[in-house]
Amino acid sequence: MQQMTLTRPDDWHLHVRTGDMLKTVINHTARQFARAIIMPNLQPPVTTVAQALNYQQEIRQATDNAYDFTPLMTLYLTNHTSIKEIKQAAASPFVHAFKLYPAGATTNSNQGVTNLEAMSPVFSAMQEHDIPLLIHGEVTDADIDIFDRERIFIEQKLYPLQQNFPGLRIVLEHVTTEEAVQFVQEMPDTIAATITPQHLMYNRNAILVGGIKPHYYCLPILKRERHRRSLIQAAISGNPKFFLGTDSAPHLSHLKENDCGCAGCYSAYAAIELYAEVFDNENALDKLEGFASFYGADFYKLPRNTAQITLEKTAWQVPAYYPVSTTNQLTPLKAGETLHWQLKG
Ligand code: NCD
Ligand code: ZN
């Protein structure tokens, strides 16, 4: 196939930051996607409906008017999130979910939740008001190996949470393991998962073989090849529990190429093209539209998009970097490499 047309997709997990970085990245997303679930892990985090509305306004102002793009806002769950805020969020047409970061799990998670068990009243209210909970599913205990953190979170935290709140819609974000895929498959329809391009394209060798490659460092960290294969099978399976969420997470190049480099891959510049490449390699382009354009909207109880995009099979070269300001730049995933699908128009 040399060309394919599909319903305009949505990105169900996206970091766009603020200021110069927001201006650099947002139109990459708006060009391809109709909607994106915007992560609230700013510094300070977006914890209230009022803050989310301000942030949405900032995003809209940074977005080129030529694009029909809607940022779907989320709130950052803290130990202090009130039931009142849950009710307000659920009633707001702009806020679509709460995001749970276990404290210390990832970038800007220091104000995250320290004790899941203590959050029962909050989860109960979310279940009652039918607002989804998005989870960064990794335990944070210092003595647990970084490659095991997702699997152990599922066993120790997520499974009990699902049992206690069977009506709560949960997205296990950016799944990275075979165990996560199995868990999601076995659970009722209230549990779904997003899958990123980097976890479909790379295993952990990408970070470590031939030198330390900081641009492949994201959280949850890339895993072994057998896990990558399992994620690919889930993505191309046509199972509506698995849908597109890039977790595109821009950081300035010098903060990644650093003694203590930040976690996050920047994929939004070519997100749908990267997924198309993965699906094409598996001869599964016929499954891309469901994954990218239908299942996420259905899970969030939002209408499916009606506009379309067209992708062409043409080789093009990814820039080495995107300028963010006169002195700073952003290195994309696959910088300088060749991609094989390109969005038309
Ligand atoms: C994200 C970020 O930079 O905000 N980083 C990442 O590695 N994925 C945070 C997150 O989603 O974990
Ligand atoms: Zn993320």
Side-chain angles (χ1 to χ4, degrees):
M1 193 196 293
Q2 294 308 303
Q3 182 164 311
M4 77 177 287
T5 294
L6 68 157
T7 302
R8 197 171 170 81
D10 302 304
D11 185 348
W12 300 99
H13 185 132
L14 180 68
H15 301 266
V16 296
R17 321 300 190 200
T18 61
D20 287 343
M21 186 62 94
L22 169 63
K23 293 189 186 105
T24 305
V25 299
I26 192 63
N27 291 305
H28 292 170
T29 289
R31 194 175 152 246
Q32 306 172 41
F33 295 100
R35 299 170 289 200
I37 279 279
I38 306 294
M39 288 295 138
N41 62 331
L42 303 182
Q43 204 69 278
V46 179
T47 56
T48 66
V49 173
Q51 286 170 336
L53 291 181
N54 284 337
Y55 186 30
Q56 189 182 44
Q57 207 43 45
E58 188 185 345
I59 296 169
R60 285 191 181 286
Q61 275 159 13
T63 307
D64 192 324
N65 286 331
Y67 301 125
D68 181 13
F69 173 72
T70 306
L72 308 174
M73 308 313 290
T74 63
L75 301 189
Y76 184 113
L77 213 53
T78 74
N79 293 336
H80 311 291
T81 301
S82 68
I83 305 294
K84 192 170 149 228
E85 205 65 52
I86 308 269
K87 285 187 191 159
Q88 280 180 11
S92 163
F94 306 106
V95 176
H96 294 270
F98 278 85
K99 178 70 188 276
L100 166 65
Y101 292 99
T106 186
T107 308
N108 297 346
S109 62
N110 51 328
Q111 293 183 65
V113 170
T114 51
N115 179 4
L116 268 190
E117 290 71 25
M119 302 294 286
S120 283
V122 163
F123 297 142
S124 179
M126 291 180 56
Q127 174 175 258
E128 183 188 337
H129 297 282
D130 196 28
I131 183 161
L133 174 64
L134 317 182
I135 299 184
H136 183 111
E138 289 193 286
V139 291
T140 55
D141 320 46
D143 58 340
I144 296 192
D145 192 278
I146 188 167
F147 292 100
D148 296 333
R149 289 180 174 202
E150 181 177 274
R151 177 174 59 80
I152 294 181
F153 182 89
I154 292 168
E155 288 166 17
Q156 294 184 353
K157 311 285 180 185
L158 185 53
Y159 182 67
L161 183 66
Q162 191 280 331
Q163 295 291 298
N164 291 335
F165 302 97
L168 178 60
R169 277 183 293 151
I170 296 174
V171 183
L172 181 56
E173 297 291 338
H174 41 52
V175 285
T176 65
T177 56
E178 191 175 20
E179 291 83 359
V181 167
Q182 267 168 18
F183 175 81
V184 172
Q185 284 168 341
E186 285 163 14
M187 286 290 112
D189 289 345
T190 48
I191 311 280
T194 51
I195 309 182
T196 77
Q198 65 267 25
H199 293 102
L200 292 170
M201 293 187 129
Y202 300 105
N203 64 37
R204 63 196 199 173
N205 283 4
I207 320 169
L208 296 169
V209 173
I212 294 184
K213 313 275 178 58
H215 296 292
Y216 296 99
Y217 176 60
C218 67
L219 290 171
I221 197 158
L222 298 174
K223 305 294 193 300
R224 285 178 180 277
E225 180 63 8
R226 84 178 150 85
H227 296 292
R228 186 181 80 89
R229 288 304 319 167
S230 173
L231 297 171
I232 288 182
Q233 289 312 317
I236 67 171
S237 67
N239 182 337
K241 288 164 152 276
F242 298 97
F243 46 82
L244 187 160
T246 60
D247 192 21
S248 176
H251 292 276
L252 295 177
S253 302
H254 74 93
L255 297 178
K256 286 191 66 66
E257 298 159 6
N258 191 286
D259 283 349
C260 183
C262 301
C265 297
Y266 181 61
S267 60
Y269 75 98
I272 194 65
E273 289 112 327
L274 293 167
Y275 286 105
E277 192 149 328
V278 170
F279 279 63
D280 192 12
N281 289 339
E282 303 297 322
N283 287 320
L285 281 173
D286 59 318
K287 296 293 199 307
L288 182 62
E289 187 177 43
F291 177 81
S293 316
F294 295 157
Y295 306 150
D298 297 349
F299 185 86
Y300 277 84
K301 301 186 181 175
L302 290 169
R304 291 181 179 184
N305 299 318
T306 50
Q308 292 187 315
I309 61 164
T310 297
L311 298 170
E312 246 179 6
K313 197 158 187 179
T314 331
W316 62 284
Q317 203 188 354
V318 178
Y321 64 87
Y322 291 98
V324 176
S325 65
T326 48
T327 47
N328 285 314
Q329 60 194 44
L330 168 62
T331 307
L333 190 69
K334 286 190 175 284
E337 293 181 41
T338 300
L339 295 191
H340 300 93
W341 283 91
Q342 189 167 38
L343 181 65
K344 268 181 86 171

